[in-house]
Amino acid sequence: MSTAKVNKARFAEDAIRELGWWKAHRFLLLRRAAQLGLLALFAIGPLWGLWLLKGNLSSSLLLDTIPMADPLVTLQLLTSGHVPEASLLLGAAIIGGFYALMGGRVFCSWVCPVNMVTDLAAYLRRRFALPRTPELPRSLRYFMLALVLLLPIVTGVAAWEWLNPVPVLYRAVLFGAGAGLGLLVAIFLADLLIVERLWCSHLCPSGALFALLGKLSPLKMTAVNARDCNNCMDCFAVCPERQVLKGALKGASPVITDSDCTLCGRCIDVCAKRVFTYKNRFTFQDNSLPNSHRIATKAENEQ
Amino acid sequence: MASQPRSSKGINRRQFLATSARLSCAVALAGGGIATIASSQQLAPQAIRPPGALTEQAFLSACVRCGLCVEACPYDTLKLARWFEGAPTGTPWFEARKVPCEMCDDIPCIKACPSGALEQTLTNIDQAKMGIAVLIDETNCLNFKGLRCDVCYRVCPLIDNAITLERSRNERSGHHALFIPVVNPDSCTGCGKCEHACVLDEAAIKVLPPQIALGKPAAHDSYIDTENTTLEMLNKGFEL
């Protein structure tokens, strides 16, 4: 145990040496570019009058023609008994269909601005080796989703939208509503100090809905070279939903079919052995024999 | 070892039910808090919704808080509410004293609304009912002092209709007239130009939401619509 600690290399050191710093951070950088780029596309409207996208993540209009809408807020309107305009329903169908095809929680890792906040908290936890936090059941988010859809029935209003942190950053940048940023600070501190990955991996009802949408998606993270895995545990350290990794690395199928996976690609980044890649699960042929490497059942709890 | 993942992952029914019950209680508790705070968020009396807005409760169940109406507003009248700022978070509103509604003929805010929180059926901005102007302070209003300020009357987009000047005798001087601004609630759209233009430090005329500005007769009162009451109706009794 003590030797393991002494020998423990810096996080992802092997991958950085093997792939180079840029390649060992490529999906992280691409995701940040996507998250900030989309925010910028919205922001050039109010700032410079270049109206490519109007609105925010709750509902928007692309090039004044294509409507887009958040499926969660649309469902809340419906459970509150309000029948929205057809454009909102169409927008929700477009967004819902897009994420159902692209992998559901792709929204969480590639679009949602809250992800930048919670990733920062996770980075600091890792960097400063903060002590372990209590485990919370990750199914909590589905109870949250049920709550968010029940609240409009009880209260008659879309109550969750009062608290929902997903549009907060967009509102702050696009409409100057900076006070809501306090909510992101609260999420950051909770993620850092109370429960690791508390918001995005345990509570967020938007993530839960996108996970459900992504159940049937063809795009899945796949441990194609699982037999090369040397149990360095870097992917476990960086993965926001690390419970999905075990099955792919040591189980029967290398495809991560669990829709909790956000397809963030960090496991690709940090793996010196190039174990992971994105695959279409319907065309993917598993040629490798079940790998002989085994990971201790409790290993994923190690921080 | 090969069968380990299956058995280690599986949980029995008792665990499942216990966890579900615990999570349900926790989430219900949180839900009670959210519902309480969310429904206690009242629209401030001076906060005005965009034209065509549904009644407040229906509005809050319909608005997705996307800000498309705000971005469509050419005069930067509309804004999205910040936390604890006069209107529930993220919903569109405006303050007449700061920037009033310019009553665009094409009503771009309604056209932009995807949710139906602003009713698409409102096509004539003169029919809007954002609020009703009330000359609330007769003590400090300059016209009540016998001066010819008239600013609220002059700036009214529906001049001589939504606001009229009613002449009466100035009892203070004995030989001058008072020109009293009178709001006609049926015509007033609540655009807030009068409140915005009022020359006092604090406006004497204010736009209020209809439910505050207007009284409401009891349903059994027979004098509800005296102008259209005919002798025949009086003889035969009312259909209420």
Side-chain angles (χ1 to χ4, degrees), chain B residues 6-218:
Chain B
R6 211 169 277 276
S7 58
S8 72
K9 199 186 172 194
I11 51 168
N12 63 35
R13 182 184 304 166
R14 184 183 303 182
Q15 282 172 315
F16 173 75
L17 289 176
T19 312
S20 299
R22 238 187 329 232
L23 295 185
S24 303
C25 289
V27 163
L29 212 60
I34 295 168
T36 309
I37 300 172
S39 50
S40 72
Q41 283 216 307
Q42 297 278 324
L43 196 63
Q46 288 270 271
I48 307 175
R49 292 291 187 203
L54 303 171
T55 56
E56 187 59 14
Q57 178 79 10
F59 184 86
L60 288 179
S61 79
C63 176
V64 296
R65 314 177 188 212
C66 61
L68 281 169
C69 56
V70 176
E71 291 182 341
C73 178
Y75 296 98
D76 289 340
T77 301
L78 293 176
K79 51 190 179 178
L80 282 192
R82 303 159 187 209
W83 271 34
F84 303 107
E85 192 204 44
T89 319
T91 55
W93 67 302
F94 70 96
E95 288 166 284
R97 188 65 169 165
K98 289 185 178 161
V99 191
C101 173
E102 297 289 338
M103 289 175 60
C104 312
D105 282 336
D106 53 344
I107 329 184
C109 49
I110 294 187
K111 282 186 182 155
C113 180
S115 69
L118 308 181
E119 281 184 297
Q120 305 282 340
T121 46
L122 181 71
T123 50
N124 178 3
I125 190 64
D126 292 347
Q127 306 286 318
K129 273 276 163 280
M130 293 173 271
I132 290 167
V134 178
L135 207 164
I136 210 162
D137 185 2
E138 300 183 351
T139 315
N140 289 306
C141 172
L142 296 180
N143 274 42
F144 272 86
K145 292 182 192 288
L147 301 172
R148 290 300 304 271
C149 164
D150 298 358
V151 166
C152 55
Y153 165 77
R154 293 287 166 203
V155 298
C156 180
L158 302 175
I159 186 170
D160 285 324
N161 196 353
I163 301 185
T164 51
L165 287 181
E166 304 294 332
R167 199 164 67 165
S168 61
R169 182 178 163 79
N170 186 341
E171 299 292 348
R172 202 157 57 122
S173 72
H175 58 273
H176 295 93
L178 292 178
F179 291 83
I180 304 299
V182 175
V183 177
N184 175 9
D186 290 336
S187 304
C188 178
T189 64
C191 72
K193 293 282 260 187
C194 51
E195 181 180 340
H196 180 248
C198 180
V199 300
L200 301 183
D201 276 357
E202 180 69 40
I205 189 166
K206 289 189 165 83
V207 177
L208 299 174
Q211 70 270 20
I212 296 180
L214 295 180
K216 189 182 173 192

Side-chain angles (χ1 to χ4, degrees), chain A:
Chain A
M1 190 66 198
S2 60
T3 49
K5 266 191 177 162
V6 171
N7 293 339
K8 192 163 165 87
R10 229 178 103 243
F11 169 73
E13 200 176 30
D14 289 345
I16 293 171
R17 198 185 310 118
E18 172 76 19
L19 307 167
W21 191 92
W22 287 98
K23 208 175 175 196
H25 292 85
R26 63 194 188 282
F27 283 107
L28 179 67
L29 297 171
L30 280 173
R31 286 196 294 117
R32 292 293 173 268
Q35 286 161 334
L36 295 171
L38 186 66
L39 179 57
L41 288 183
F42 274 100
I44 54 173
L47 292 180
W48 299 325
L50 297 169
W51 293 104
L52 195 64
L53 280 161
K54 287 180 177 174
N56 64 19
L57 289 184
S58 301
S59 173
S60 55
L61 204 55
L62 174 64
L63 295 170
D64 271 332
T65 37
I66 302 169
M68 294 182 283
D70 173 24
L72 184 63
V73 74
T74 309
L75 283 177
Q76 285 180 71
L77 296 205
L78 292 173
T79 56
S80 78
H82 174 76
V83 180
E85 299 288 325
S87 69
L88 191 81
L89 296 173
L90 179 64
I94 289 173
I95 289 299
F98 175 79
Y99 286 110
L101 200 65
M102 294 305 291
R105 292 199 66 198
V106 158
F107 171 82
C108 302
S109 56
W110 290 79
V111 174
C112 182
V114 182
N115 173 262
M116 293 187 274
V117 176
T118 58
D119 268 0
L120 176 64
Y123 165 77
L124 292 174
R125 286 194 59 80
R126 199 169 62 233
R127 177 74 181 77
F128 297 105
L130 296 190
R132 279 188 58 185
T133 57
E135 294 281 336
L136 262 184
R138 291 178 188 244
S139 54
L140 188 50
R141 59 184 131 203
Y142 295 103
F143 289 82
M144 286 291 291
L145 177 60
L147 170 77
V148 165
L149 297 181
L150 283 172
L151 276 179
I153 299 174
V154 179
T155 62
V157 301
W160 177 247
E161 291 309 303
W162 171 74
L163 197 62
N164 192 356
V166 175
V168 156
L169 186 67
Y170 272 68
R171 270 193 220 125
V173 173
L174 306 177
F175 303 101
L181 293 176
L183 196 60
L184 296 183
V185 174
I187 287 178
F188 171 77
L189 291 175
D191 264 40
L192 188 69
L193 303 172
I194 300 175
V195 172
E196 189 188 4
R197 298 274 182 188
L198 175 65
W199 181 258
C200 295
S201 298
H202 296 89
L203 291 177
C204 180
S206 298
L209 182 62
F210 282 115
L212 293 178
L213 283 173
K215 285 270 183 212
L216 299 174
S217 157
L219 185 67
K220 294 289 169 189
M221 190 60 70
T222 308
V224 285
N225 296 323
R227 74 176 105 187
D228 292 342
C229 173
N230 61 359
N231 294 351
C232 74
M233 304 302 290
D234 281 344
C235 57
F236 278 85
V238 80
C239 180
E241 301 283 351
R242 60 171 79 98
Q243 74 280 7
V244 307
L245 288 171
K246 193 165 65 183
L249 288 170
K250 66 181 266 194
S253 166
V255 183
I256 298 178
T257 49
D258 194 321
S259 57
D260 285 350
C261 174
T262 69
L263 296 168
C264 68
R266 283 296 277 154
C267 52
I268 306 179
D269 279 353
V270 301
C271 185
K273 299 292 179 186
R274 298 179 168 88
V275 166
F276 293 96
T277 188
Y278 291 105
K279 282 286 176 197
N280 178 341
R281 65 164 151 174
F282 298 120
T283 58
F284 172 66
Q285 306 270 322
D286 183 15
N287 298 321
S288 65
L289 293 166
N291 60 312
S292 56
H293 295 289
R294 289 289 176 251
I295 294 163
T297 313
K298 278 285 178 191
E300 76 273 22
N301 291 332
E302 195 181 324
Q303 296 245 339

